[in-house]
Amino acid sequence: MNKGTTSITTQDLDQRLQSQRVPRYTSYPPATEFAGLPPETQQNWLTEINKDLPVSLYIHIPYCDQLCWFCGCFTSITHRYEPVAKYLDLLIQEIEWVHSITGNLRVSHLHMGGGSPTTLSAKDFTRLLAFIREKYSFDANAEIAVEIDPRTIDDSKIRAFVASGVTRASLGVQDFSLPVQEAVNRIQPYSLVEIVTNKLRDSGINKINLDLMYGLPLQTIDSVINTAQQALTLAADRLAVFGYAHVPWMRKHQCVLDEFPMADPTQRLQMFNAMKKVFTENGYETIGIDHFARHDDELTKSLHARTLRRNFQGYTSDQAETLIGFGLSSISSLSQGYIQNTLKLQDYKKALQENTAIAHRGIAISQQDKMRRTIISELMCFYNVDLKQVANQYSLDTGFESELTKLAPFFDAGLVSLDDTVLLITNNGRPYVRTVCAAFDQYLKADSSHFSLAV
Ligand SMILES: C[S@@+](CC[C@H](N)C(=O)[O-])C[C@H]1O[C@@H](n2cnc3c(N)ncnc32)[C@H](O)[C@@H]1O
Ligand code: SF4
């Protein structure tokens, strides 16, 4: 394989790369490529799931009590419980409908995300988990992970988690500094997170993840270091450190934050590196682009075993090839392609009443897509990929000439290197991994202004 060359300076390149916008590559093709599919697609694809292999399930709860101004998730705010209760009835109907198509399946992993699954009452959480366990067979060691807003949890909900077999709790923290919390409309003192973490552990849910963010208004290098040091004292198993994706054209409420000066890409990188230093010097290993895990954690083990994978929630050690998503906006990843449930409650309700497909958008994936997905996933997980080996795996004959030509400035700047057929992202190139992946993305258009910053 031959690499290309150019005469661009490293400084020019750094500037250009830092202001670039590219997909997050939690899927390939990215969700922005999803389009209308014939209505029978969902049913046909679900029918063909291989019953001999374990599957992963995802359940989306699109409700929160209060809107964080930075939020990029698919959620809506409700101050009444009635909409949540009604949504739960619809979810149960959806599970029933999907089950009528798939029959029983073996489940190795269930993730509940949102929004905030903690908006569900203890009684309804128990009902939902009991229902899904009645329909599908969970492996004895299945992971059941729940995203938790520490402000909306109480003892009865923790008891319901334990009784339902929850094994992992993922707490949204973001930042511990009060001025930052005030700016983003999320007041959540350290003491609250500490109490919730202790209660979860005392109840036996001792796999704890924390979500943190950088690039938020009023954050400084010192303040994010402080947050990282406070997070350390909670001794989480995993930490996710997300760069704030400011996309007000998609999430209008984020405009509120336009009144604050935002960190530029260089400052964002400095913030991330400062947090990374705190974690890696204190018992955590870097996992992919934005996760940290203890040395004995499954994520770290899967990184070393080269079985780590990237999915919609970030990184996972789960090996299931099939992911079935339930609830508004959720995405299923099936062997034939991706399929996304409707975003509209009325359509969701109507589809369930009429026993028709809930997912009309998605994309069928070709062998070519699968090969590129593997390349992108390996780069995002391991920062290297044997291009020839992956092409052979999919029986495709390509030398990746055009991709390597696109990467010429990266070779010249020492951000990537090629060792025979292995493409390697160097330490200096790591912040630009998404942009390197973009060279293998056949769907990326010249205008990528709708994506978030690459760094
Ligand atoms: C569904 S929330 C987690 C559960 C719960 N809703 C909470 O916030 O505590 C998922 C995570 O996405 C991250 N997040 C939300 N909006 C984001 C954005 N605009 N950019 C980057 N990360 C974001 C936050 O770290 C948040 O904890
Ligand atoms: S970050 Fe979490 S709690 Fe805040 S609005 Fe978004 S989903 Fe809700």
Side-chain angles (χ1 to χ4, degrees):
M1 278 178 185
N2 292 322
K3 62 188 184 69
T5 53
T6 74
S7 59
I8 189 167
T9 69
T10 309
Q11 209 179 12
D12 283 350
L13 184 67
D14 268 355
Q15 266 175 8
R16 207 163 76 189
L17 292 179
Q18 289 183 2
S19 55
Q20 237 161 24
R21 293 177 179 276
V22 280
R24 288 182 50 76
Y25 293 119
T26 49
S27 69
Y28 180 81
T32 41
E33 293 306 317
F34 293 1
L37 288 171
E40 64 278 10
T41 312
Q42 183 175 21
Q43 190 145 357
N44 290 346
W45 288 5
L46 286 172
T47 309
E48 290 164 18
I49 290 176
N50 183 345
K51 290 192 169 44
D52 297 331
L53 298 174
V55 300
S56 267
L57 306 179
Y58 173 77
I59 302 181
H60 194 78
I61 309 292
Y63 292 103
C64 293
D65 285 6
Q66 193 181 333
L67 188 58
C68 310
W69 296 137
F70 58 78
C71 184
C73 306
F74 181 80
T75 191
S76 54
I77 304 307
T78 176
H79 302 297
R80 293 179 305 122
Y81 192 66
E82 198 192 346
V84 184
K86 284 191 171 157
Y87 179 75
L88 180 75
D89 287 339
L90 297 176
L91 256 182
I92 300 252
Q93 275 185 53
E94 186 191 0
I95 296 166
E96 180 90 68
W97 181 72
V98 171
H99 178 260
S100 73
I101 301 165
T102 61
N104 188 23
L105 296 169
R106 235 183 82 201
V107 177
S108 58
H109 192 121
L110 166 67
H111 188 101
M112 291 188 63
S116 299
T118 38
T119 50
L120 285 175
S121 67
K123 191 164 149 257
D124 283 344
F125 186 92
T126 310
R127 178 179 163 216
L128 176 59
L129 267 283
F131 189 78
I132 200 148
R133 278 177 175 283
E134 184 191 308
K135 294 290 164 192
Y136 292 111
S137 308
F138 280 62
D139 285 351
N141 60 351
E143 172 155 297
I144 302 182
V146 182
E147 291 177 13
I148 288 176
D149 177 346
R151 300 166 301 169
T152 57
I153 187 144
D154 58 31
D155 291 352
S156 68
K157 291 181 190 178
I158 294 180
R159 281 196 297 274
F161 290 172
V162 174
S164 307
V166 169
T167 55
R168 182 179 296 279
S170 181
L171 279 67
V173 171
Q174 328 311 347
D175 191 289
F176 284 122
S177 132
L178 184 59
V180 175
Q181 292 190 353
E182 283 171 346
V184 301
N185 195 36
R186 184 178 179 130
I187 308 291
Q188 182 179 310
Y190 171 85
S191 55
L192 171 70
V193 182
E194 188 185 30
I195 290 169
V196 172
T197 309
N198 288 341
K199 281 190 172 174
L200 286 164
R201 285 202 176 106
D202 290 347
S203 317
I205 301 175
N206 42 31
K207 291 182 179 166
I208 305 283
N209 298 10
L210 302 179
D211 288 350
L212 302 174
M213 290 176 72
Y214 66 92
L216 289 172
L218 303 185
Q219 281 182 329
T220 62
I221 309 272
D222 285 345
S223 82
V224 296
I225 290 176
N226 254 335
T227 288
Q229 282 167 342
Q230 284 181 283
L232 266 188
T233 63
L234 297 167
D237 302 83
R238 298 177 188 173
L239 298 143
V241 179
F242 298 122
Y244 170 41
H246 187 62
V247 286
W249 52 93
M250 285 162 71
R251 299 279 182 261
K252 290 206 166 40
H253 56 262
Q254 291 183 346
C255 290
V256 175
L257 298 181
D258 280 334
E259 69 169 277
F260 296 97
M262 285 295 167
D264 65 26
T266 309
Q267 291 163 329
R268 284 168 66 97
L269 197 53
Q270 287 166 345
M271 285 179 189
F272 177 75
N273 284 337
M275 296 174 92
K276 175 176 170 174
K277 188 164 184 290
V278 173
F279 297 134
T280 51
E281 286 178 356
N282 288 282
Y284 291 88
E285 200 153 326
T286 310
I287 310 289
I289 59 167
D290 49 15
H291 281 49
F292 298 89
R294 291 185 167 283
H295 297 304
D296 58 352
D297 188 87
E298 286 307 311
L299 269 193
T300 314
K301 288 184 196 158
S302 63
L303 171 70
H304 294 162
R306 221 182 154 88
T307 54
L308 180 71
R309 297 169 67 205
R310 185 150 168 84
N311 70 1
F312 297 109
Q313 279 79 51
Y315 290 92
T316 180
S317 56
D318 183 34
Q319 298 302 305
E321 287 301 327
T322 296
L323 168 74
I324 307 176
F326 297 98
L328 279 187
S329 81
S330 69
I331 299 175
S332 298
S333 173
L334 306 171
S335 60
Q336 306 89 334
Y338 296 104
I339 190 153
Q340 181 172 30
N341 275 0
T342 174
L343 310 187
K344 293 191 184 137
L345 189 62
Q346 280 314 315
D347 293 349
Y348 185 57
K349 208 167 165 177
K350 189 160 176 274
L352 286 165
Q353 272 165 0
E354 294 171 1
N355 250 337
T356 55
I358 296 146
H360 289 285
R361 270 169 50 81
I363 192 163
I365 47 174
S366 64
Q367 196 72 348
Q368 180 70 231
D369 292 329
K370 287 183 184 174
M371 175 189 71
R372 289 174 187 277
R373 175 167 71 179
T374 301
I375 291 172
I376 289 173
S377 171
E378 294 204 9
L379 287 171
M380 298 287 285
C381 290
F382 314 118
Y383 293 100
N384 63 62
V385 60
D386 188 332
L387 294 172
K388 185 150 186 243
Q389 193 187 71
V390 178
N392 287 345
Q393 186 186 334
Y394 292 95
S395 309
L396 291 169
D397 183 21
T398 166
F400 297 102
E401 287 81 10
S402 75
E403 289 79 2
L404 294 175
T405 304
K406 278 188 225 160
L407 289 175
F410 291 73
F411 283 108
D412 287 354
L415 302 179
V416 297
S417 67
L418 196 60
D419 179 3
D420 192 14
T421 57
V422 178
L423 178 67
L424 176 87
I425 301 181
T426 63
N427 278 343
N428 286 345
R430 286 188 174 216
Y432 311 116
V433 55
R434 285 166 56 197
T435 319
V436 176
C437 292
F440 294 89
D441 180 349
Q442 284 194 314
Y443 294 86
L444 196 64
K445 319 222 169 25
D447 175 20
S448 57
S449 56
H450 49 291
F451 294 118
S452 58
L453 284 171
V455 174

